[in-house]
Amino acid sequence: QQQQQQQQQQLPQQQHPQQPLLGGREDVHFVVLQVEDWQTEKLLRLLNEYKGIEVWAHLRDLWQDMPVQAGDVINVLAPVTTYPDGSHHTTCDFTQGLLVLHPDVLLSGTTITSVIDCPRKAWLQELVGGGGANDKALQGTMMHELVQYALAVAAKGPLTREALVEYVQVIVRTSLLDLVEVGLDEATASDALLGRVDAVLAWVARYMGPDVLAGQAPRDMQGNKPGTDSAPRLTVTDVVDIEEMVWAPRYGLKGQIDATLGVVLSDANHEAAARASSAAFAPPCARSSRPTTGPSSAASARGSGTSTGTAAAGFRP
């Protein structure tokens, strides 16, 4: 303990950095100067290099197990209280606060939640990941391309079944090397995509309106024509972006959004929708695989949904 205290005392008081932090997180960015373990909490002495102030962080409940060491960089998203003696204190516990360890190392939500199943899983995937593709992952990637193409075309003009069928062949042709790698032939890949064309058209007709489809609107998975059942509370009005890479250094997270959509959220009483509707941006999560209940799958779906809500695009045959 004496050696650890000496190392903590030897940490230099750094000068204020000149360059601003990405994401405007100067208020929450700290360097750990000292760590004290108590029975009911872990106490951290922190230095905000950008504000030139020291803050005492009280980690309680599950936060007390955070493996923080002197010299670590953290983001603390919690209110800071200034006491009469001039000291600054903040608390992270079950009711308030969020602490992000090493926030400059951006991780995906799926990577983080994989730790719930096994603490070593994320590390092993990072160590040996990318060793080889598989047919399910490739078919999912190809399905994403088809969905994104449908959204982009429908946002600009009429979308036809023939256009989707033709684009299926384009996707297959541009994925030949990947198909060979996973052992899939062109016919199998093409049939798998063609089997989901009607589901894509049904989703587009339901949430973007049947007018965006040239010709008769397809039937959905329940056999109903889109628009004949209860009207959806969400209407897609615009496709803002496709395959948008998002970095959130404030939370140490990164991810890729399949599509960012402009939507209108209506009131449950659709007769009053014109009076009670509100515009928002919603990043949908296109799930091309079978439904799962694991935390990694939930993170993939929920991670693309912000406070505006998520437009869940379940394109399954």
Side-chain angles (χ1 to χ4, degrees):
Q1 293 179 351
Q2 293 179 352
Q3 184 179 2
Q4 183 180 6
Q5 291 177 356
Q6 292 176 357
Q7 292 176 352
Q8 293 170 351
Q9 294 173 356
Q10 291 173 359
L11 289 174
Q13 299 287 332
Q14 301 182 18
Q15 300 296 325
H16 294 1
Q18 299 297 322
Q19 296 296 329
L21 281 174
L22 179 65
R25 51 197 171 99
E26 289 83 359
D27 292 336
V28 301
H29 192 269
F30 297 90
V31 175
V32 179
L33 300 180
Q34 183 178 345
V35 180
E36 296 182 8
D37 286 302
W38 298 85
Q39 184 175 0
T40 59
E41 69 177 20
K42 178 176 290 185
L43 185 62
L44 309 181
R45 183 165 67 94
L46 309 176
L47 171 65
N48 187 316
E49 304 171 285
Y50 291 84
K51 301 299 180 180
I53 62 173
E54 288 190 5
V55 175
W56 291 94
H58 303 261
L59 307 186
R60 299 167 182 163
D61 302 324
L62 291 178
W63 295 107
Q64 189 175 355
D65 298 326
M66 181 72 72
V68 184
Q69 299 178 356
D72 285 345
V73 175
I74 63 176
N75 283 355
V76 180
L77 287 78
V80 177
T81 302
T82 302
Y83 284 80
D85 62 357
S87 62
H88 307 279
H89 294 258
T90 187
T91 301
C92 290
D93 57 19
F94 277 141
T95 63
Q96 64 178 333
L98 176 67
L99 188 149
V100 182
L101 182 61
H102 304 307
D104 297 322
V105 181
L106 302 183
L107 302 175
S108 69
T110 304
T111 299
I112 294 174
T113 53
S114 65
V115 179
I116 298 176
D117 296 328
C118 174
R120 297 182 179 88
K121 184 176 181 181
W123 178 78
L124 290 173
Q125 287 179 338
E126 186 71 19
L127 185 65
V128 301
N134 62 78
D135 58 338
K136 300 300 182 184
L138 178 58
Q139 290 185 43
T141 300
M142 296 168 69
M143 182 62 194
H144 276 64
E145 292 185 31
L146 181 64
V147 172
Q148 291 163 355
Y149 172 80
L151 290 172
V153 172
K156 298 178 181 179
L159 174 66
T160 64
R161 191 179 193 280
E162 290 72 19
L164 285 183
V165 171
E166 181 178 349
Y167 195 72
V168 165
Q169 305 308 318
V170 173
I171 295 174
V172 172
R173 287 198 301 269
T174 56
S175 305
L176 289 179
L177 292 179
D178 295 326
L179 291 173
V180 172
E181 181 181 358
V182 300
L184 278 180
D185 57 77
E186 297 179 48
T188 301
S190 179
D191 290 343
L193 291 177
L194 291 174
R196 304 191 180 189
V197 166
D198 286 336
V200 174
L201 290 172
W203 191 95
V204 169
R206 177 173 176 80
Y207 292 102
M208 302 185 73
D211 293 339
V212 302
L213 302 182
Q216 185 178 6
R219 296 180 180 272
D220 62 18
M221 279 71 78
Q222 285 72 38
N224 302 316
K225 288 186 177 181
T228 59
D229 55 351
S230 60
R233 293 185 59 187
L234 181 146
T235 302
V236 178
T237 59
D238 187 24
V239 177
V240 181
D241 202 352
I242 298 291
E243 287 291 345
E244 180 183 9
M245 178 64 72
V246 176
W247 285 12
R250 191 179 185 88
Y251 301 95
L253 297 174
K254 66 178 179 179
Q256 195 167 24
I257 299 176
D258 299 327
T260 304
L261 308 178
V263 301
V264 172
L265 305 175
S266 303
D267 185 79
N269 181 7
H270 293 282
E271 294 180 358
R275 293 183 285 106
S277 63
S278 59
F281 292 106
C285 176
R287 303 296 294 169
S288 56
S289 60
R290 295 182 180 274
T292 58
T293 56
S296 297
S297 177
S300 178
R302 295 172 185 169
S304 59
T306 62
S307 58
T308 59
T310 300
F315 301 108
R316 302 186 184 96

